[in-house]
Amino acid sequence: QMGRPFAGPPLRPDNGHAIGGGQGAPAHLEPLMSEPSHPPVEPPTENRLLGGRIVLRQPARGYRAGLDAALLAAACDARVGDRVIEAGCGAGGALLAAAARRTGVVFTGIERDPEALALAQGNVALNGMTAQVSVLSGDVTAGFRALDLPPFDAALANPPFFDDVRALRAPA
């Protein structure tokens, strides 16, 4: 079979992804060999919580506030003057709902994902709660001492839950 011309699809020059020196990928496989492209980021959705008292901008996909966040906020029994931390506050759904229900309580959200952090900080401002709620960049897995904050009277946490493990994504 030596000397017979190659009858397959045309080859392109080596693109750096091929195995061996000078072996190019067939033209029809070139898109599969290129660097992975990330899907465009969808704009956040705007939702209302507590009968419209809270406006929440949150990702169109991924971690989103739902019934669990509403139940967590309703379970917060902090008293006037208390300081409450939410570890991993995401876009701030539970944090803001708890703050709306518990005026006179100071809330601090901690979030390590930059996109969720930006949404949460924007949601605090959007709802006019900057005097009562703050959201800081941090990772609670580093320990609370690493956050360098004074002690809190109570803590909230709403770990992500999915029925389908294939729907999980690692935090950024």
Side-chain angles (χ1 to χ4, degrees), residues 2 5 21 39 45 51 55 60 63-64 70-71 74 84 87 97-98 100 116-118 123 151 154-155 158 171:
M2 296 288 281
T45 62
V55 177
Y63 301 140
R64 294 177 47 84
L71 292 172
V84 178
L117 175 68
N123 285 329
N158 183 18

Side-chain angles (χ1 to χ4, degrees), residues 26 31 34 58 66 73 86 95 123 141 148 158 163 165 168 172:
S34 64
Q58 61 182 334
E86 184 182 5
L95 185 71
N123 285 329
T141 62
D148 197 30
N158 183 18
D163 287 330
V165 295
L168 292 177

Side-chain angles (χ1 to χ4, degrees), residues 66-76:
L67 181 58
D68 51 347
L71 292 172
L72 179 61
C76 179

Side-chain angles (χ1 to χ4, degrees), residues 8-29:
L11 295 177
R12 299 241 174 134
D14 190 347
N15 60 9
H17 297 286
I19 298 172
Q23 296 180 9
H28 70 286
L29 294 179

Side-chain angles (χ1 to χ4, degrees), residues 42-102:
E42 294 181 50
T45 62
E46 189 169 280
N47 306 106
R48 305 217 182 276
L49 307 176
L50 297 180
R53 288 171 55 195
I54 300 293
V55 177
L56 184 71
R57 293 181 181 152
Q58 61 182 334
R61 299 178 192 271
Y63 301 140
R64 294 177 47 84
L67 181 58
D68 51 347
L71 292 172
L72 179 61
C76 179
D77 62 354
R79 293 169 288 188
V80 173
D82 281 354
R83 296 180 67 251
V84 178
I85 186 171
E86 184 182 5
C89 67
L95 185 71
L96 292 168
R101 295 173 48 90
R102 296 288 174 180

